[in-house]
Amino acid sequence: MIKRIILFLIIIALGLALYFYQSRFPKSLPAFSQTGQTVDSQKVLAGSGQTPAEKKEVSLPAPLKVNGEWLSNDKNSIILTDEGIVGFTNQERNKQSLAPLAINEKLNASAKAKVDDMFKQRYFEHTSPDGVTIDDLADQVGYDFILIGENLAEGDFKDDQALVLAWMASPHHRANILNDRYTEIGVAVGHGPLNGQDVWLAVQHFGRPANLCPDIDQALKATIDQNKATLEALSKELNLQGGEAAVFLSYIKNFNKIKTYSKLAEETSAEITQYNDQVSAFNTCI
């Protein structure tokens, strides 16, 4: 009889301990549904089983064929330079209190490739006859970007400043030049035969490189996914969805498993918060 009383008291004590323990025990899995900011119609999902997707943006104003005050009457006197075009571009940005664009050699290479290809295949468009665009050129030179833009111009310009002013007079080209999200630039100019006449072609490539934005820890994401699967399996084993009596009996029978579940749930919740912070920082950057 005494043994039964002692056993009964032990069960009551254990039940009370588990009752107070339950008060801080997570009743459900941590939320796995936080969504990041919309990025050009794509969403970055945090803790949701999807890998955040970097959406690359491209700005392509219609190619500019120039007539009028910016052109030279003496074609033999025309001298256009990459450095001069960059300098006058940054001068226009400075007028608007924007940071100057840094010259990037990879963007210089992609701009040069564009000029050469337009002369070679005799076209004046953002997309080549074989379907190559600025995205492809950036890939070819190894320029990983979040935002990239291309300004094209054709004409016998007086000089570098006249060329930049012609772009500035076009709203969409002006928008590229004054876009405060760009940080880098590449420029190329060339002179040669196109559609039966000798012309000057000019290309500006603007970019915001991907490495400006903080990395998202994909190993952390994998850990969260693994923890989520473990927690769901434990939840089924513990029958935590039953009535109060079933839950109480499950607590007594599976005390160690419950401690494991609780600890893992708390750790996973903290990891999800850390991961979501990384995603938010990435979304803010792009």
Side-chain angles (χ1 to χ4, degrees):
M1 176 65 102
I2 294 176
K3 289 183 179 180
R4 289 182 180 180
I5 293 174
I6 292 173
L7 180 59
F8 179 72
L9 291 174
I10 290 174
I11 292 174
I12 292 177
L14 182 58
L16 289 173
L18 287 171
Y19 172 79
F20 289 112
Y21 182 73
Q22 183 186 14
S23 65
R24 67 180 182 84
F25 184 79
K27 297 187 183 336
S28 62
L29 292 176
F32 284 87
S33 60
Q34 178 177 330
T35 14
Q37 299 171 348
T38 300
V39 184
D40 194 16
S41 81
Q42 286 194 359
K43 290 185 177 179
V44 173
L45 303 182
S48 65
Q50 293 190 22
T51 301
E54 177 185 308
K55 177 63 177 177
K56 297 177 183 291
E57 298 179 40
V58 180
S59 175
L60 304 173
L64 183 66
K65 290 189 177 182
V66 179
N67 295 301
E69 62 183 291
W70 298 288
L71 300 185
S72 172
N73 294 324
D74 182 6
K75 294 185 178 183
N76 295 325
S77 67
I78 299 173
I79 299 177
L80 299 180
T81 67
D82 304 348
E83 296 82 359
I85 295 169
V86 172
F88 285 111
T89 296
N90 279 333
Q91 188 177 101
E92 294 299 326
R93 289 175 65 86
N94 183 60
K95 291 177 183 178
Q96 304 299 322
S97 300
L98 298 173
L101 299 172
I103 296 175
N104 181 281
E105 292 304 325
K106 290 181 178 179
L107 288 178
N108 274 345
S110 64
K112 179 66 164 56
K114 181 65 176 179
V115 167
D116 292 345
D117 191 60
M118 286 192 292
F119 280 123
K120 179 181 179 181
Q121 300 200 64
R122 304 189 186 286
Y123 71 97
F124 182 58
E125 298 291 343
H126 289 294
T127 303
S128 73
D130 49 5
V132 174
T133 65
I134 189 173
D135 310 54
D136 303 305
L137 295 175
D139 288 341
Q140 289 172 17
V141 300
Y143 187 78
D144 189 14
F145 65 91
I146 291 172
L147 175 65
I148 201 167
E150 181 177 73
N151 280 356
L152 302 180
E154 175 189 322
D156 294 326
F157 300 94
K158 294 177 182 177
D159 50 31
D160 299 329
Q161 185 177 27
L163 169 57
V164 173
L165 290 177
W167 270 323
M168 287 294 293
S170 167
H172 296 297
H173 296 85
R174 174 188 176 92
N176 260 349
I177 290 173
L178 299 182
N179 190 327
D180 63 353
R181 294 176 63 200
Y182 291 131
T183 60
E184 299 176 334
I185 188 173
V187 171
V189 293
H191 182 257
L194 183 67
N195 299 327
Q197 57 182 337
D198 287 343
V199 298
W200 281 90
L201 295 180
V203 176
Q204 284 179 316
H205 280 178
F206 306 92
R208 182 180 182 86
N211 61 16
L212 283 185
C213 292
D215 291 333
I216 297 175
D217 187 351
Q218 297 305 319
L220 178 61
K221 175 67 170 59
T223 298
I224 290 172
D225 290 342
Q226 183 178 354
N227 288 353
K228 178 184 176 184
T230 302
L231 287 167
E232 290 176 347
L234 279 171
S235 179
K236 291 179 181 179
E237 286 184 34
L238 296 171
N239 191 27
L240 296 183
Q241 303 304 318
E244 291 185 5
V247 171
F248 178 77
L249 291 175
S250 178
Y251 280 178
I252 295 175
K253 183 179 179 181
N254 300 289
F255 184 71
N256 289 332
K257 284 185 179 180
I258 291 171
K259 287 196 299 182
T260 299
Y261 181 97
S262 179
K263 184 173 183 295
L264 184 59
E266 290 175 1
E267 291 175 352
T268 304
S269 179
E271 289 167 346
I272 290 174
T273 298
Q274 179 184 353
Y275 182 79
N276 284 337
D277 287 345
Q278 292 177 4
V279 172
S280 295
F282 179 84
N283 286 340
T284 299
C285 178
I286 65 174

